[in-house]
Amino acid sequence: TRTPPVSEMPSLFLDDPRPILIYDGRCKLCDSWVSFLLNQDPGARLRFAASQTDAGIKLKQYAKIEIDALVFIGSDRALLNADAILACLLQIYDAPKDSLSRNPSLALAVRFAQFFAPPPIRDAVFDLVSKNRHKLFQDYDFCKISDDIYPDRFLFLSDARNVENFPLVIDDNEGNFSVNHNEEVATSMI
């Protein structure tokens, strides 16, 4: 298991330590993924921000991610695309024993997928789906940025306060981590 070095915690995570998934709010596939995660996560262990919102834009700028990507941002690291999907599932299923979301069997299945599907294979599958998602699933004519059932799980501009000027660990999907001090750019691409 690759473990990133610990970095300073952004103030965005001081009041609420839950990680954030940044997704394309116009994409029906991405919206379905967010809906799936919301339904699988009664313990509310994840937050969400559409990449088109001020919060999504600021968080991606903070992480120096300048590409169209699914992004999982924790207090000390950012994971992209396939790794973001696996991180979301582990965040939900590999929860503490008292969490409503805990499911050790599914957490083991996710870890199995991480081990037996190396990053190049995961990324290739993710890239294939990602490049064809707009053709296969079309897009919404609007940007879905919230959910009536879970409004407290979605971030907006007021939630994106004080995200700049903090280091963040960037995972390059090859087990290498670098600390981003607003000078480096993540190199993983869709």
Side-chain angles (χ1 to χ4, degrees):
T1 302
R2 297 174 292 160
T3 306
V6 176
S7 177
E8 291 180 36
M9 185 181 295
S11 61
L12 181 62
F13 295 98
L14 292 178
D15 296 334
D16 189 342
R18 296 176 297 171
I20 301 162
L21 178 69
I22 302 172
Y23 67 98
D24 181 351
R26 291 183 45 232
C27 170
K28 287 184 181 179
L29 179 61
C30 299
D31 177 61
S32 296
W33 172 242
V34 169
S35 294
F36 170 80
L37 291 173
L38 286 165
N39 290 329
Q40 292 294 305
D41 187 18
R45 295 180 48 80
L46 286 171
R47 296 179 287 170
F48 304 91
S51 60
Q52 294 85 356
T53 64
D54 288 333
I57 291 166
K58 285 187 178 288
L59 284 163
K60 282 180 77 173
Q61 287 172 346
Y62 158 69
K64 293 292 185 187
I65 296 171
E66 299 175 352
I67 57 172
D68 181 23
L70 190 63
V71 183
F72 175 93
I73 296 183
S75 63
D76 64 349
R77 64 186 176 147
L79 300 171
L80 304 177
N81 302 333
D83 287 335
I85 289 172
L86 294 173
C88 287
L89 292 173
L90 283 175
Q91 179 70 21
I92 293 170
Y93 299 140
D94 202 16
K97 288 186 180 186
D98 60 344
S99 174
L100 297 172
S101 305
R102 183 175 170 80
N103 189 326
S105 299
L106 289 176
L108 183 61
V110 173
R111 293 214 182 274
F112 183 83
Q114 278 182 313
F115 182 76
F116 286 103
I121 292 173
R122 295 193 304 253
D123 293 340
V125 171
F126 184 92
D127 290 348
L128 180 66
V129 172
S130 178
K131 287 177 183 169
N132 293 297
R133 67 190 162 114
H134 298 291
K135 294 177 197 165
L136 297 172
F137 300 97
Q138 299 184 349
D139 287 337
Y140 288 119
D141 292 332
F142 58 91
C143 177
K144 184 172 181 181
I145 59 170
S146 186
D147 185 285
D148 294 339
I149 300 170
Y150 307 101
D152 60 320
R153 305 277 300 278
F154 290 83
L155 300 177
F156 301 98
L157 177 62
S158 61
D159 300 305
R161 65 197 183 287
N162 302 322
V163 295
E164 53 277 325
N165 301 320
F166 289 95
L168 180 75
V169 176
I170 303 296
D171 180 354
D172 72 357
N173 291 327
E174 294 179 6
N176 302 313
F177 298 91
S178 61
V179 177
N180 170 357
H181 290 281
N182 290 328
E183 297 168 2
E184 301 172 14
V185 176
T187 57
S188 298
M189 295 183 10
I190 288 183

